[in-house]
Amino acid sequence: MRTDRFGLSVALATPFAEDRSIDLPRLVAHARQSLADGCNSITAFGTTGEGASLGLNERQRALGALVGAGIDPRTQLVVGIAASSVEDAIAQGRAGLMLGCSSFLLAPPFYFKNPDDEGLFDWISAVLMGLGPKASNVILYHIPQVTAVGLSMDLIGQLKKAFPAQIKGVKDSSGDWDNAQALLKQHGDLHILIGDERLLARAMKLGASGAITGLANVAPDLMQALLDGIEEPRVNAMVEAVLPFAVTAAVKALVGHRRNDAAAWSRMRAPLRSLGQAECVDLFATIDAIRSKRAA
């Protein structure tokens, strides 16, 4: 098992201007505040960050703004990669490498469904070889309910054996406790990161290394206990309150509510849609009530 710890990384939500370009000042302000609020790093362009809808040029501009604002690309930044072609995946990774980032969250190709392990191994291998050794902290991203492409235990084993200097972790966002347990048992030499906040405390007790989560945009203070293996009922309640809604839209609405900047944070990148006003009223009331409760 690993003796070091990854900690808490916020799956950074992406604010958009009225023309749906990335609102760079708000992105930077939110990233810096997330770090000040207790997150160890930020993960840009993940699922909560609508990363699959962001093109290469705007990714480069966003990363430049983050690094230019003083966020350390070596220790405080993870770059999400979401592409179906090897060429695009490498280009997204190189946008981070050029700024000194070595940490990447690599999703599998998501357009072609039901690939076998051999095909996935070839695709991921090509991406890793294209990025080269400077991509020295690659986290494989298992989120089959979104990509419809899962990462098997055998595939993870083959990849970490073939690329020991690059594959350093797995993020499990499946919400499947059995899968998380299997990862911890079979691949505990890697950073096993949990995406479902409800499983985090249990996983930490078994040797998990931390989390990359969307709720860290909203309640990073409440999540600190989870990293020590201590359950925080308010976090579980918040997750349950968010799940009936479109999750990314709900998280962004809650960021706007928390920052007192609701209109700006409500904007989504097509084809995703923002929550309606009535939905926001209900969600905000529920989350405010949960947060006001004292810890058990």
Side-chain angles (χ1 to χ4, degrees):
M1 304 296 286
R2 302 191 67 92
T3 57
D4 55 341
R5 195 163 86 162
F6 177 88
L8 178 63
S9 187
V10 55
L12 197 71
T14 304
F16 296 112
E18 290 187 15
D19 64 357
R20 297 308 187 269
S21 62
I22 297 177
D23 188 328
L24 296 178
R26 281 188 171 88
L27 181 76
V28 166
H30 181 48
R32 295 180 68 176
Q33 188 62 56
S34 295
L35 294 172
D37 288 342
C39 294
N40 300 102
S41 65
I42 64 168
T43 297
F45 318 135
T47 303
T48 309
E50 301 170 73
S53 71
L54 302 177
L56 181 58
N57 289 337
E58 55 190 347
R59 283 167 168 261
Q60 291 172 332
R61 289 193 294 270
L63 291 174
L66 291 168
V67 173
I71 292 171
D72 189 340
R74 299 164 299 174
T75 61
Q76 295 179 312
L77 182 59
V78 180
V79 175
I81 297 174
S84 287
S85 77
V86 169
E87 180 180 356
D88 286 349
I90 292 171
Q92 290 179 13
R94 285 178 176 167
L97 289 174
M98 288 189 297
L99 293 171
C101 182
S102 62
S103 297
F104 300 91
L105 179 63
L106 176 61
F110 50 82
Y111 184 83
F112 299 103
K113 309 307 180 189
N114 301 313
D116 59 20
D117 280 1
E118 183 178 357
L120 287 173
F121 180 88
D122 290 345
W123 189 93
I124 295 172
S125 296
V127 173
L128 294 175
M129 288 187 288
L131 293 177
K134 289 185 178 179
S136 59
N137 186 29
V138 175
I139 302 160
L140 302 173
Y141 193 7
H142 178 65
I143 184 168
Q145 69 272 32
V146 174
T147 61
V149 179
L151 303 176
S152 72
M153 296 296 153
D154 287 344
L155 173 61
I156 293 167
Q158 293 166 12
L159 286 166
K160 74 178 185 182
K161 182 178 180 180
F163 299 93
Q166 290 179 275
I167 299 293
K168 298 298 175 65
V170 181
K171 180 191 176 187
D172 182 5
S173 289
S174 66
D176 182 344
W177 177 240
D178 289 340
N179 193 75
Q181 286 182 298
L183 281 170
L184 290 162
K185 183 177 180 180
Q186 297 183 40
H187 301 300
D189 53 324
L190 300 175
H191 289 293
I192 303 303
L193 309 178
I194 304 300
D196 188 329
E197 297 88 351
R198 297 168 296 179
L199 306 181
L200 181 54
R202 276 187 285 170
M204 293 301 292
K205 290 179 181 178
L206 295 180
S209 188
I212 302 174
T213 82
L215 197 62
N217 285 279
V218 178
D221 54 324
L222 299 186
M223 295 189 64
Q224 297 303 318
L226 305 179
L227 297 174
D228 294 324
I230 302 170
E231 294 287 355
E232 170 48 89
R234 289 176 293 177
V235 171
N236 290 355
M238 285 184 177
V239 174
E240 297 294 339
V242 165
L243 286 177
F245 301 93
V247 172
T248 297
V251 168
K252 290 183 73 172
L254 287 168
V255 173
H257 181 57
R258 182 176 183 228
R259 306 284 188 222
N260 196 27
D261 192 17
W265 279 98
S266 68
R267 303 181 187 113
M268 305 290 293
R269 175 67 65 86
L272 301 183
R273 299 291 298 276
S274 58
L275 298 189
Q277 184 175 0
E279 291 177 307
C280 288
V281 169
D282 290 344
L283 178 61
F284 297 165
T286 301
I287 294 298
D288 288 346
I290 292 169
R291 180 175 274 282
S292 69
K293 294 178 180 179
R294 292 189 176 187

